[in-house]
Amino acid sequence: QVQLVESGGGLVQAGGSLRLSCAASGRSFSKDAMGWFRQAPGLEREFVAAIRWSTGSTYYADSVKGRFTISRDNAKNTVYLQMNSLKPEDTAVYYCAAVERRRTYALSYYTTGSVYDYWGQGTQVTVSS
């Protein structure tokens, strides 16, 4: 009943920028947090960034810290991932995810994919060298 629709993926050169969007639709639900994950060919899914919905506090994987920024627009039910200084190693399918409100956790809790309740379909990001 809850759908996460992603957009903004594409092909960019190394050093370039891209902004991903993920809009939540369907039944209304209270969001605890939303996050971004990525999966490169042949590799496991990895955490990228998360944001606590109520406060806007953020948490990032070391590999993207200082380059990526996660943000949200409450009115639009949308989470964004601004990606700057992109590297070929960032090439992956990027997925957004949402946790329905249950209780308060430390931000590090949201680095584990299994805690998320809903997932988007994924959007391809390719960074050329």
Side-chain angles (χ1 to χ4, degrees):
Q1 300 301 116
V2 174
Q3 298 169 243
L4 304 179
V5 181
E6 301 163 350
S7 61
L11 173 65
V12 297
Q13 288 186 304
S17 298
L18 204 63
R19 189 177 78 155
L20 306 182
S21 300
C22 178
S25 62
R27 78 166 177 87
S28 179
F29 72 103
S30 298
K31 291 174 284 293
D32 182 20
M34 292 189 70
W36 288 94
F37 291 75
R38 66 187 183 186
Q39 186 168 23
L43 300 179
E44 295 295 314
R45 180 182 60 193
E46 66 173 339
F47 169 77
V48 176
I51 184 166
R52 191 183 302 281
W53 201 259
S54 61
T55 65
S57 57
T58 59
Y59 193 80
Y60 298 93
D62 289 342
S63 59
V64 307
K65 195 173 300 181
R67 299 189 297 122
F68 291 10
T69 303
I70 187 171
S71 61
R72 88 273 193 257
D73 186 326
N74 288 346
K76 298 175 67 175
N77 261 354
T78 299
V79 65
Y80 305 94
L81 185 68
Q82 178 67 48
M83 304 184 294
N84 298 326
S85 301
L86 282 162
K87 306 174 181 179
E89 305 94 276
D90 296 317
T91 295
V93 177
Y94 283 70
Y95 299 90
C96 67
V99 181
E100 190 162 3
R101 179 180 54 80
R102 293 188 287 271
R103 56 169 290 178
T104 301
Y105 298 98
L107 283 171
S108 59
Y109 174 82
Y110 303 102
T111 63
T112 301
S114 61
V115 311
Y116 288 82
D117 300 300
Y118 310 106
W119 290 84
Q121 79 285 355
T123 185
Q124 177 70 48
V125 172
T126 302
V127 184
S128 61
S129 59

